[in-house]
Amino acid sequence: RSRDAPYEGSGGRTSGVSFLLRVVLPDQPGSLGAVATALGGAGADILGVDVVERIGGVAVDDLAVELPPGRPPDVLITAAESVPGVQVESVRPHSGHLDTHRELELIEAITADPGNGLKLLADGVPRIFRAGWALVVVREDGRSYRLAESTAAPETRAGDLPWLPLKKAIVIDPDEYWVPDPWKDLDTELAAAPMGTAPQALVVGRVGGPAFRPSEVARLAHLAGIVTTILTA
């Protein structure tokens, strides 16, 4: 099976607790299989695998896994890291299977309803990037405003986004002075992509990490660019 293709496991349980496990492992045949075997030995059922990044002989994969009720997520870390060369970057609660084609579905939805395009974008991006929330923001006269926000967007607002306008998509240092304290307290990782040449951007927050990888930032830029083209056509 190609490492570039998502794997959907059959999954024997339906009543367990699902987690999203991000692992860094050697990009070589057998590595992912060894991790899957170790997780299975710990009682985990793999629901899906998605390749996040491949660079310098290393692969970064997101694994959606299910544990029987009562089993702590720590067993996932112990099992995965028992495989030589494997490091667990994060473990987070997850809704279940990985959907790897949502970008196309989101673009189609926005094309069909451009009047609600920004709201559709804000609501769709967290699912695509497995993040907590998303905002579409604009900066005018030294103040920043939300044009659209996802359902779980934080109530606390940043008074200003001094990095607007953007020339390219970026990872934002969560310790920047303008980042509201509640975002920092929740260890929110941040990324942003420009939407056209105006001081407008798509901002994504991933509460508790993991940090945004370069490949994810590139995908975010690509998606924001496509949606901008659709909405300004």
Side-chain angles (χ1 to χ4, degrees), residues 120-154:
L120 290 170
L121 178 65
D123 282 336
V125 161
R127 294 192 297 271
I128 292 172
F129 291 91
R130 296 153 208 153
W133 50 263
L135 309 170
V136 178
V137 296
V138 65
R139 188 176 193 235
E140 297 176 347
D141 300 324
R143 296 285 295 175
S144 299
Y145 305 91
R146 301 183 185 189
L147 299 177
E149 59 187 14
S150 62
T151 303

Side-chain angles (χ1 to χ4, degrees), residues 17-21 39 44-48 63-67 76 96:
V17 182
S18 296
F19 296 92
L20 188 65
L21 186 71
L39 291 173
D45 187 12
I46 297 180
L47 305 177
L63 288 75
V65 301
E66 186 178 77
L67 282 174
L76 299 173

Side-chain angles (χ1 to χ4, degrees), residues 86-233:
V86 174
Q87 177 185 352
V88 174
E89 197 167 271
S90 68
V91 179
R92 296 179 283 156
H94 182 59
S95 60
H97 289 269
L98 295 175
D99 293 317
T100 57
H101 303 290
R102 278 184 164 164
E103 279 151 302
L104 179 59
E105 294 174 358
L106 178 58
I107 290 169
E108 290 176 343
I110 293 173
T111 301
D113 187 11
N116 292 314
L118 293 182
K119 175 60 176 173
L120 290 170
L121 178 65
D123 282 336
V125 161
R127 294 192 297 271
I128 292 172
F129 291 91
R130 296 153 208 153
W133 50 263
L135 309 170
V136 178
V137 296
V138 65
R139 188 176 193 235
E140 297 176 347
D141 300 324
R143 296 285 295 175
S144 299
Y145 305 91
R146 301 183 185 189
L147 299 177
E149 59 187 14
S150 62
T151 303
E155 294 182 3
T156 305
R157 296 170 180 259
D160 189 22
L161 303 176
W163 38 267
L164 283 174
L166 283 175
K167 292 184 178 180
K168 63 179 182 179
I170 60 171
V171 172
I172 299 170
D173 184 350
D175 292 323
E176 287 282 350
Y177 72 91
W178 59 266
V179 177
D181 288 338
W183 301 13
K184 295 179 181 179
D185 294 342
L186 293 173
D187 295 324
T188 305
E189 298 289 343
L190 300 166
M195 297 194 66
T197 57
Q200 185 172 313
L202 172 64
V203 182
V204 187
R206 187 181 276 160
V207 178
F212 286 91
R213 290 270 174 174
S215 60
E216 294 179 297
V217 176
R219 284 175 58 203
L220 187 68
H222 184 62
L223 178 59
I226 292 174
V227 171
T228 301
T229 300
I230 293 171
L231 297 182
T232 56

